[in-house]
Amino acid sequence: MATIFSRIIAGEIPCYKVAEDDKFFAFLDINPLVKGHTLVVPKQEVDYIFDLSDEDLAAMHIFAKKIAKAIKKAFPCQKVGEAVIGLEVPHAHIHLIPIRKESDMLFSNPKLKLSDEEFAAIAKAISSSL
Ligand code: 5GP
């Protein structure tokens, strides 16, 4: 069965898309730690990120770098932090999180509740900063 992220990539489940190319897809995390929290996923359905080939792992980070630059432009921050956890959804993904301090990256923090309009505006702000 396809993962929830494959179904998002296929357009079967809606998302707030930020960008895509032939191999990777970026969209907003639905439970963001901060505004601009974005997920980067390979279109290839692989659970564990370190099972990707060297080429795909490098390419995923090069794609993530472009998204991180756009996030930083749209949501001024000290840095865009990167995290890979992957215990909830078995489809490799990089969390990109604009941070001002270390604790902004704590996944135990309460998640933001945003409206449809807010999510759409955030995705647009990032994609138009690419
Ligand atoms: P992890 O596997 O890295 O521990 O967590 C998975 C992440 O994916 C979580 O931050 C969660 O909010 C996000 N997520 C799970 N399901 C969906 C979904 O259907 N849509 C979106 N946009 N994000 C999701």
Side-chain angles (χ1 to χ4, degrees):
M1 209 181 82
T3 66
I4 191 148
F5 290 169
S6 288
R7 297 185 63 204
I8 286 173
I9 293 163
E12 294 167 19
I13 293 176
C15 74
Y16 299 94
K17 180 176 148 182
V18 168
E20 72 177 308
D21 69 6
D22 56 331
K23 287 190 141 186
F24 305 102
F25 195 92
F27 58 105
L28 299 184
D29 193 304
I30 207 67
N31 300 302
L33 284 168
V34 294
K35 286 186 179 183
H37 183 167
T38 300
L39 300 176
V40 168
V41 301
K43 291 185 175 177
Q44 179 194 357
E45 204 171 86
V46 169
D47 176 0
Y48 185 43
I49 195 165
F50 296 123
D51 283 336
L52 285 168
S53 69
D54 291 355
E55 292 74 19
D56 287 342
L57 183 62
M60 187 171 172
H61 278 88
I62 292 165
F63 180 82
K65 178 178 169 178
K66 290 183 200 142
I67 307 299
K69 279 189 178 174
I71 292 172
K72 198 164 189 293
K73 215 159 139 191
F75 292 92
C77 54
Q78 194 175 342
K79 287 188 174 174
V80 172
E82 175 185 305
V84 176
I85 304 176
L87 293 180
E88 187 188 317
V89 178
H91 187 141
H93 50 282
I94 294 172
H95 293 260
L96 294 176
I97 303 167
I99 54 171
R100 293 178 186 276
K101 55 187 185 311
E102 192 180 308
S103 60
D104 288 340
M105 288 282 290
L106 288 177
F107 281 81
S108 52
N109 286 344
K111 309 300 185 291
L112 297 182
K113 295 276 175 237
L114 302 174
S115 66
D116 179 53
E117 289 73 24
E118 286 174 303
F119 273 118
I122 292 167
K124 194 170 170 214
I126 300 170
S127 59
S128 58
S129 298
L130 280 164

